[in-house]
Amino acid sequence: MGRQVSACFAALLAAGLTGLIVWQLQRSLPGPLLWDFGSFMGSGRAAAEGLDPYGIYPGLTFRVELPGFESWNQNLNPPVSLLLFQPLSQLDPGEAFRLWWAVTVVAYAALVTLLVRHHRLESPVIPALAAFAAAGFWDTLVLGQIYVPLALAATGAWLLLERNRPVAAGLLIGIVVAVKPNFLVWPGLLFLAGHFRAALAAGGCAAVLTAVPALLYGPGIYRLWFDVISQDASRGVFLTNASLPGLFLRFGLGTAGLLVSLVLLAGLAAWALRSRPDPLKASALGLLGALLASPLAWIHYTLFLLPLFFRMPPSPALIIAAILLIIPVPVLLDRFMTAPVWQQATFGSVYAWALLLLLIQLALRQIPAGMHSNEESADLQARGDTRRGDVRQREKILPGRHEERVP
């Protein structure tokens, strides 16, 4: 009887998730609007023509106009993003948008397939459907954003760390950091935790990629980027911003949010130095800390946490966080964008509350350990050799006494 009830519940849940996915697919198909992708095309064309890639170019640069919120959505990605946007801008914008939409779908399918096959789940259907129902994925498709290939790189880095390949993992982390610098927290925690090769490989890769635009466009390209991101603080209050500063802004406590973020980062640094966690635990809290402490951490950033959902044992907090991150963006904006402040900061901030739930979960529970890092493996090998040498020495002194054995 219990199995039948569980099977019935699983079937209903699968049907519900499938229905949500179909609805999201219908609304995310490329249409005449270019959304954020238009801003990227404008940025790429400006770079090709020697203009300001971070300027506003009506007809391409996307303008958000919602009740209670209006803003131009310029390209806010660092100059390394121009290495992608400039070639794409040579295509017809509509064709380029459809091409990027397809690339995003294929990359996300590869990401989810990689996680499902790696973890060999007994019942993979529900986790896979939940991953495909994630609000961050569909809003990435709608806007033509670039998060999914980066999330795929982050997932690859996570799995490489688990397989004891720190340098390869670090190179992928470096790509992520170069395009999204707020993820610098990740290799930072790895370094403080003693996983030096992964952290240094990430830092080296990010530094090289960051230097390339300065060589191609001149060092002034970074001044233009700094100018545009320094003027972008007003959008932190937007409901799809899942960071702590965004949450505190909705409560009317902007300064407190920055202070709490600094305290969180300092606490994570002290924890990594003191506890020397394994690379997976350091990565999990590095990713989560990067999102919570960032001035802007849109719902799309939560796709970088998918390895965590697949790896951690199921728990009420994990399930609730997953449900909150599946709530579609239009539902949230239509209901709470013009709601009273207290509703925006509570019900309207479900994405931020989901990240806080995950932080509590990580603080209270251990992530199943993967393979040891190279540094840890060398240390364990040395200690094992010492123990075996001690046993052989005792056997020479006390012949016939062979009860002791090293596992």
Side-chain angles (χ1 to χ4, degrees):
M1 183 65 179
R3 289 184 179 180
Q4 292 178 341
V5 172
S6 298
C8 183
F9 177 76
L12 290 174
L13 182 57
L17 289 171
T18 302
L20 179 58
I21 290 169
V22 171
W23 177 78
Q24 290 273 40
L25 175 61
Q26 291 175 340
R27 80 174 190 89
S28 72
L29 293 172
L33 289 179
L34 295 177
W35 305 89
D36 285 348
F37 190 81
S39 300
F40 301 155
M41 292 299 93
S43 182
R45 286 188 180 181
E49 297 171 8
L51 302 175
D52 179 5
Y54 296 101
I56 296 172
Y57 299 97
L60 286 175
T61 304
F62 176 46
R63 180 169 176 81
V64 180
E65 295 182 357
L66 292 171
F69 185 89
E70 291 188 12
S71 175
W72 285 101
N73 262 18
Q74 296 135 282
N75 174 29
L76 299 180
N77 294 292
V80 69
S81 66
L82 298 176
L83 303 181
L84 170 66
F85 298 153
Q86 184 173 337
L88 274 177
S89 69
Q90 304 307 306
L91 302 175
D92 173 78
E95 292 179 0
F97 189 16
R98 289 187 288 273
L99 172 63
W100 188 252
W101 192 94
V103 168
T104 300
V105 171
V106 171
Y108 196 71
L111 190 161
V112 176
T113 301
L114 191 63
L115 288 172
V116 169
R117 294 186 63 179
H118 176 77
H119 292 289
R120 299 179 182 178
L121 303 175
E122 292 183 5
S123 302
V125 174
I126 298 300
L129 287 174
F132 274 104
F137 169 57
W138 295 105
D139 206 53
T140 294
L141 281 177
V142 168
L143 297 177
Q145 272 287 352
I146 63 173
Y147 295 95
V148 168
L150 296 173
L152 178 59
T155 299
W158 178 286
L159 298 181
L160 286 168
L161 284 173
E162 186 177 345
R163 294 184 178 187
N164 192 24
R165 297 181 61 186
V167 175
L171 293 176
L172 289 178
I173 294 171
I175 294 172
V176 173
V177 171
V179 183
K180 299 294 180 182
N182 46 338
F183 281 111
L184 187 61
V185 178
W186 183 4
L189 280 194
L190 286 173
F191 185 86
L192 293 175
H195 308 292
F196 301 120
R197 280 186 283 181
L200 292 175
C205 179
V208 169
L209 291 175
T210 300
V212 172
L215 295 174
L216 292 177
Y217 306 107
I221 192 71
Y222 279 96
R223 178 182 56 80
L224 297 174
W225 177 54
F226 288 136
D227 286 345
V228 73
I229 61 174
S230 66
Q231 301 168 11
D232 199 54
S234 62
R235 74 178 65 212
V237 73
F238 202 69
L239 296 181
T240 55
N241 180 14
S243 71
L244 285 174
L247 179 62
F248 276 81
L249 272 173
R250 286 172 220 127
F251 278 109
L253 303 169
T255 303
L258 294 175
L259 291 175
V260 171
S261 295
L262 292 175
V263 170
L264 172 62
L265 293 177
L268 288 175
W271 164 78
L273 274 171
R274 183 182 66 254
S275 303
R276 296 299 178 106
D278 66 78
L280 295 185
K281 186 71 179 278
S283 295
L285 280 168
L287 286 166
L288 195 52
L291 300 192
L292 283 168
S294 296
L296 298 175
W298 306 118
I299 179 61
H300 324 96
Y301 279 103
T302 60
L303 301 179
F304 292 79
L305 301 177
L306 278 176
L308 188 58
F309 281 97
F310 274 82
R311 185 164 188 84
M312 291 189 68
S315 69
L318 199 68
I319 293 171
I320 292 172
I323 293 171
L324 294 179
L325 294 177
I326 287 173
I327 296 174
V329 168
V331 172
L332 205 65
L333 297 183
D334 291 347
R335 176 63 184 84
F336 296 107
M337 198 63 200
T338 58
V341 170
W342 72 269
Q343 291 186 20
Q344 290 190 356
T346 52
F347 302 111
S349 299
V350 291
Y351 301 146
W353 294 118
L355 296 190
L356 285 172
L357 266 179
L358 285 176
L359 182 65
I360 294 170
Q361 175 78 357
L362 284 176
L364 296 179
R365 298 188 66 170
Q366 183 70 29
I367 298 176
M371 296 176 65
H372 296 289
S373 66
N374 283 353
E375 293 89 342
E376 293 170 326
S377 297
D379 181 59
L380 290 172
Q381 180 68 37
R383 282 185 284 173
D385 291 344
T386 300
R387 289 180 61 197
R388 284 188 288 272
D390 291 343
V391 171
R392 286 194 292 269
Q393 185 65 24
R394 285 195 294 270
E395 289 175 347
K396 289 180 181 178
I397 297 172
L398 299 173
R401 297 279 304 275
H402 301 291
E403 297 91 324
E404 287 191 78
R405 291 288 183 269
V406 178

